[in-house]
Amino acid sequence: MRETRSGAVLEATLERITFADARTGYTVARVDTGRGGDLVTVVGSLLGAQPGETLRLRGRWGAHPQYGRQFQVEDYTTVLPATVQGIRRYLGSGLVKGIGPRLAERIVDHFGTDALRVIEEEPGRLTEVPNLGPKRTRLITAAWEEQRAIKEVMVFLQGVGVSTSLAVRIYRQYGDASIGVVRAEPYRLAAEVWGIGFRTADAIAAAVGIPHDSLPRVEAGLQFVLSEATGQGHCFLPETDLVPRAVEMLEVPADLVGHGLAVLVADQHVVREELAGEDGEPPVVAYYLVPFHRAEVSLAAGLRRLASADTDRMPAFAGVDWDAALAWLHRRTGAELAGGQRDAVRLALTEKVAVLTGGPGCGKSFTVRSVVTLAAAEGARVLLAAPTGRAAKRLAELTGVEAGTVHRLLELRPGGDAAFDRDRPLQADLVVVDESSMLDLLLANKLVRAVPPGAHLLLVGDVDQQPSVGAGEVLRDLLAEGSPIPHVRLTQVFRQASRSGVVTNAHRINAGSAPQVRGLDDFFLFGTDDAEEAARLTVDVVVRRIPARFGLDPRRDVQVLTPVHRGPAGAAALNELLQDALTPARPDRAEKRFGGRVFRVGDKVSQIRNDYDKGANGVFNGTQGVVTAIDTVEQTLTVVTDEDEAIHYDFAELDELVHAYAVTVHRSQGSEYPCVVVPLTTSAWMMLQRNLLYTAVTRAKQLVVLVGSPRALAQAVRATGSGRRHTALAHRLRGRPFRTGCAPVPETVARGYAGSERRHAGVGR
């Protein structure tokens, strides 16, 4: 170590990273100065640094009141090691994909201190190393070049706090053009690189000198506001919402926002449409991102087309003797259909499009089985699907017919296009989709486009559950007043189901009554008003109490469902606690640290974005699985999903995964578990809503355990939600008038938003 005018300089080998914030690059690490003694703690931005590298760190010494003496890093450079031992360790650290400790030793044994120069300048000579062939040599050379190029991008981005993983994504998107794109067109990143939103792109733009009031910034900001709205479930935003949100976020005048909107509409990046108002209300001026407008228009037209098709692929049911058919079904299944179930069976087999809805215990499953049994008896080709792997497995077990996810049914390809569509429809006479409350607008449109004319489409789901994670509320719109789509709602709770506390309490909650939490053997409340105590109690219930009393496996059979992600009893905190309890660190358990998380073999994980490039037909938001392997040489992590498919992730892609010992209720849709544990605390007050609690309870097959505050439980039962999403599917199905155009925001409207402009004029300046 030496002192300079600008501070101290410390040269050391990075031993391990104990904490890293994937968003900012802030890191806590331990380094070896090579002088013997204990490792030294360094803190600061170490964006891109990897264990095994030798670093020249510039900064200052300081003292932390709890952790003691630390070196506070202001910046650093990588120093290639010069000794045989250092080079062997550097190459074997996992820094270069394809080189592990054993291969590193062979390379260094052969080339000595010249090893790094050979890889850099004469990579073809690597074939001189015994048992190292041309194919592996090419892979190592490519990995070395990519690592060097990524380093250059990361150094450039370091000043604006872009994480290592995002720098890797930028490089993989643009290659050698990365720095040029970032300098000249930073807002492209928000649209083209997953994980980079408008705010990150905006920080980069400011750093490279793009003006605050530039038109590209305003256009990108407006598209971000619309994109953020689709993430909240809306298909469009009314002008009266969009303009104030953009003014507040961008801190620019409303007339500039209006001009940006007009340009986006004229350039066909955004669709402006006037929707007829309800019950004499004035028209709503709606702004859509193009894919969502196209999907909504296409879905409405597709449903109308299917419902009114001239042909019928199951004509036998048009004139069937229903008394005889249902009597045959009774003899076949040994069970009698109730009145509503009989209506639903007839509807599904005689109408081209139909919806079956109802709560738990009302016989939806047996009704679906009856529909499938009768259709198969007439030789119909039946296809069954559900939005998630778990739901598809359950549907197959119920009907005895193979079922898969909607994504697999459609054979989605890289980019999201489906192999089946109007030009190449599915070979089916009847398509049944369970858990249809999960169908978002985009997926529902792909599905309907693939159903052939004359085939029957039956959508099954519980409309009282939370709507889809993606934009839209398709099932609710199909059941809206005045909808031309026929439906049956089952309401009778059958006797066997009525003996279940889970089913009984689900209906009580849906009706606005408090659940019964005493005297039942399958529904419990462990009360505490303290959020941190609720978190500790949740872990104890999952890890110790439920396995001891009910014999359930805490990882396989028990799922924690939380209203929120953050907070003491949120999904993030509970995942850390549950991982420590169920999959603790062990010398024989492989692990990979990524950002602030550690992934271990055996971890329960969930995908958090649609990735159409992985697996046979993509991996989708909400897919769960278990980590089965971590390869530090090839730098990959393997997850086996609920569909029993092995998916491989590069280490740089681990921001697509989160731990799933605890997940938000919203992310649990379509899945069913033997037991769910639901922490309810007043710290999650704004999210405590009836349909959220109802959805959580209906995910359980056998057992529900609530943990937390009785006051929070009462609030969840009482609160009915925050209103509908902005969708126009129900309007389109009813044939309501629309007017599409490219008129700019009227001047009078822009003036009406001037207050927003003035209120936020000084924010962040």
Side-chain angles (χ1 to χ4, degrees):
M1 186 195 74
R2 68 180 187 274
E3 296 287 343
T4 69
R5 290 184 179 180
S6 57
V9 175
L10 179 67
E11 193 163 301
T13 301
L14 180 58
E15 288 290 327
R16 63 177 180 270
I17 294 173
T18 57
F19 171 81
D21 187 315
R23 182 179 59 85
T24 66
Y26 178 81
T27 305
V28 179
R30 301 279 279 170
V31 301
D32 183 356
T33 62
R35 298 184 178 89
D38 294 338
L39 299 179
V40 173
T41 299
V42 298
V43 298
S45 181
L46 291 174
L47 192 69
Q50 300 288 334
E53 289 186 293
T54 300
L55 308 177
R56 185 172 292 120
L57 308 161
R58 189 178 63 82
R60 301 181 186 280
W61 288 100
H64 189 279
Q66 182 176 353
Y67 300 111
R69 193 167 186 249
Q70 298 177 339
F71 189 81
Q72 298 170 347
V73 179
E74 295 172 4
D75 61 46
Y76 80 93
T77 55
T78 302
V79 180
L80 292 179
T83 66
V84 167
Q85 183 180 0
I87 294 170
R88 183 182 290 119
R89 189 173 179 198
Y90 175 76
L91 285 178
S93 67
L95 178 69
V96 182
K97 188 174 182 179
I99 301 181
R102 292 181 181 176
L103 181 54
E105 189 166 341
R106 285 161 45 204
I107 291 172
V108 176
D109 284 348
H110 187 81
F111 293 111
T113 56
D114 210 27
L116 297 182
R117 187 198 64 77
V118 169
I119 296 174
E120 176 81 26
E121 299 175 9
E122 302 177 272
R125 289 186 58 197
L126 287 173
T127 56
E128 298 174 15
V129 178
N131 301 317
L132 185 55
K135 182 178 179 181
R136 189 70 175 273
T137 296
R138 285 194 296 272
L139 291 174
I140 291 171
T141 303
W144 180 272
E145 287 295 323
E146 182 180 73
Q147 185 68 25
R148 186 174 62 175
I150 290 170
K151 282 280 188 183
E152 293 177 5
V153 174
M154 287 192 291
V155 168
F156 176 72
L157 295 175
Q158 190 167 11
V160 292
V162 177
S163 70
T164 305
S165 60
L166 294 185
V168 171
R169 289 184 185 278
I170 290 170
Y171 178 77
R172 290 185 175 172
Q173 178 74 27
Y174 303 114
D176 293 339
S178 297
I179 292 177
V181 170
V182 170
R183 284 186 188 277
E185 303 174 275
Y187 292 107
R188 280 179 61 186
L189 305 179
E192 298 173 358
V193 181
W194 181 79
I196 295 185
F198 173 80
R199 290 183 176 88
T200 300
D202 201 32
I204 296 171
V208 299
I210 292 179
H212 184 77
D213 59 354
S214 69
L215 189 58
R217 178 175 183 267
V218 172
E219 291 179 30
L222 282 161
Q223 289 175 295
F224 170 72
V225 172
L226 287 172
S227 178
E228 199 171 46
T230 64
Q232 297 164 350
H234 302 296
C235 298
F236 68 84
L237 276 184
E239 185 176 83
T240 50
D241 283 358
L242 173 59
V243 174
R245 288 193 195 187
V247 167
E248 180 175 5
M249 185 187 75
L250 295 168
E251 300 173 23
V252 297
D255 57 354
L256 181 56
V257 170
H259 178 55
L261 260 180
V263 172
L264 286 172
V265 173
D267 291 344
Q268 299 183 6
H269 296 309
V270 166
V271 175
R272 180 183 188 274
E273 192 169 47
E274 289 189 13
L275 312 177
E278 296 278 0
D279 302 324
E281 293 291 321
V284 174
V285 178
Y287 286 91
Y288 288 81
L289 292 175
V290 172
F292 294 91
H293 183 264
R294 287 178 179 167
E296 195 173 77
V297 171
S298 173
L299 176 57
L303 287 166
R304 285 175 167 277
R305 184 176 61 252
L306 288 179
S308 60
D310 294 331
T311 58
D312 191 340
R313 287 175 173 255
M314 294 196 296
F317 292 102
V320 74
D321 181 338
W322 283 105
D323 289 338
L326 294 174
W328 174 87
L329 184 67
H330 183 203
R331 292 193 299 273
R332 180 72 177 268
T333 63
E336 185 79 33
L337 290 170
Q341 291 177 305
R342 290 194 295 271
D343 293 342
V345 169
R346 283 197 292 267
L347 196 71
L349 295 173
T350 57
E351 295 285 350
K352 310 290 179 31
V353 181
V355 175
L356 171 62
T357 189
C362 292
K364 292 195 305 296
S365 296
F366 186 70
T367 304
V368 170
R369 179 181 166 190
S370 300
V371 169
V372 171
T373 300
L374 284 170
E378 291 292 343
R381 290 169 294 183
V382 180
L383 291 179
L384 304 180
T388 68
R390 281 177 177 264
K393 282 184 178 179
R394 189 174 69 246
L395 185 59
E397 292 166 359
L398 163 75
T399 60
V401 177
E402 183 180 354
T405 63
V406 177
H407 308 93
R408 286 186 181 276
L409 176 72
L410 301 176
E411 294 183 11
L412 294 188
R413 297 164 170 168
D417 293 330
F420 294 97
D421 55 21
R422 288 187 65 180
D423 297 327
R424 187 197 174 202
L426 296 163
Q427 295 301 305
D429 304 315
L430 170 65
V431 178
V432 180
V433 181
D434 199 8
E435 295 287 356
S436 293
S437 63
M438 283 190 68
L439 285 178
D440 62 36
L441 174 66
L442 300 182
L443 185 58
N445 179 49
K446 288 182 172 70
L447 170 69
V448 168
R449 285 174 58 85
V451 177
H456 291 225
L457 174 64
L458 175 62
L459 300 175
V460 183
D462 186 345
V463 74
D464 293 323
Q465 290 183 14
Q466 286 191 297
S468 58
V469 174
E473 43 187 7
V474 173
L475 188 63
R476 194 168 295 173
D477 283 341
L478 297 184
L479 295 171
E481 185 178 352
S483 169
I485 306 301
H487 72 274
V488 169
R489 181 166 191 148
L490 302 178
T491 57
Q492 177 185 343
V493 179
F494 288 91
R495 182 179 302 171
Q496 182 177 355
S498 68
R499 292 195 289 267
S500 161
V502 175
V503 171
T504 301
N505 278 334
H507 285 278
R508 288 178 65 87
I509 290 165
N510 202 31
S513 299
Q516 182 182 346
V517 295
R518 295 181 184 278
L520 299 174
D521 58 8
D522 61 353
F523 202 104
F524 302 89
L525 170 65
F526 288 84
T528 176
D529 291 324
D530 181 77
E532 292 185 356
E533 175 59 25
R536 288 190 293 270
L537 188 53
T538 296
V539 173
D540 186 51
V541 165
V542 171
V543 175
R544 188 177 64 84
R545 300 192 192 200
I546 289 174
R549 178 163 177 180
F550 297 97
L552 297 176
D553 183 277
R555 270 187 291 195
R556 185 187 63 243
D557 301 329
V558 182
Q559 182 64 57
V560 177
L561 303 180
T562 74
V564 292
H565 180 72
R566 300 186 184 279
L574 284 169
N575 271 314
E576 288 189 22
L577 295 172
L578 287 163
Q579 184 193 37
D580 287 345
L582 295 172
T583 318
R586 290 199 321 239
D588 62 337
R589 178 175 281 148
E591 65 176 46
K592 168 62 182 174
R593 182 175 293 277
F594 183 87
R597 299 192 296 274
V598 178
F599 292 99
R600 299 187 182 117
V601 169
D603 270 340
K604 191 174 179 179
V605 294
S606 177
Q607 175 83 8
I608 60 170
R609 67 173 287 239
N610 291 344
D611 190 334
Y612 298 98
D613 297 321
K614 289 195 179 300
N617 299 112
V619 184
F620 300 93
N621 189 0
T623 299
Q624 285 194 7
V626 175
V627 177
T628 57
I630 295 174
D631 188 330
T632 55
V633 175
E634 296 301 323
Q635 299 182 19
T636 58
L637 178 148
T638 303
V639 174
V640 174
T641 70
D642 286 338
E643 298 176 68
D644 299 320
E645 183 177 17
I647 305 295
H648 304 290
Y649 294 82
D650 286 341
F651 284 170
E653 299 173 319
L654 294 184
D655 52 356
E656 295 186 17
L657 291 175
V658 295
H659 292 94
Y661 300 99
V663 300
T664 59
V665 176
H666 211 51
R667 295 185 63 79
S668 72
Q669 289 176 266
S671 296
E672 192 175 64
Y673 312 92
C675 170
V676 300
V677 178
V678 187
L680 296 170
T681 66
T682 54
S683 61
W685 193 261
M686 297 302 294
M687 292 299 296
L688 296 175
Q689 296 172 4
R690 186 182 301 165
N691 69 347
L692 180 142
L693 180 58
Y694 174 73
T695 301
V697 169
T698 56
R699 298 306 86 209
K701 289 192 288 187
Q702 301 170 219
L703 177 66
V704 171
V705 181
L706 308 180
V707 180
S709 163
R711 182 166 167 251
L713 173 60
Q715 168 65 9
V717 172
R718 184 170 57 246
T720 55
S722 55
R724 295 289 300 274
R725 295 176 170 187
H726 293 304
T727 78
L729 178 61
H731 288 63
R732 297 183 197 281
L733 288 171
R734 292 196 297 263
R736 300 294 295 271
F738 296 84
R739 189 168 72 188
T740 303
C742 58
V745 179
E747 184 181 349
T748 53
V749 174
R751 282 201 301 268
Y753 300 132
S756 298
E757 164 200 332
R758 286 193 294 271
R759 281 196 303 274
H760 303 289
V763 176
R765 297 290 177 84

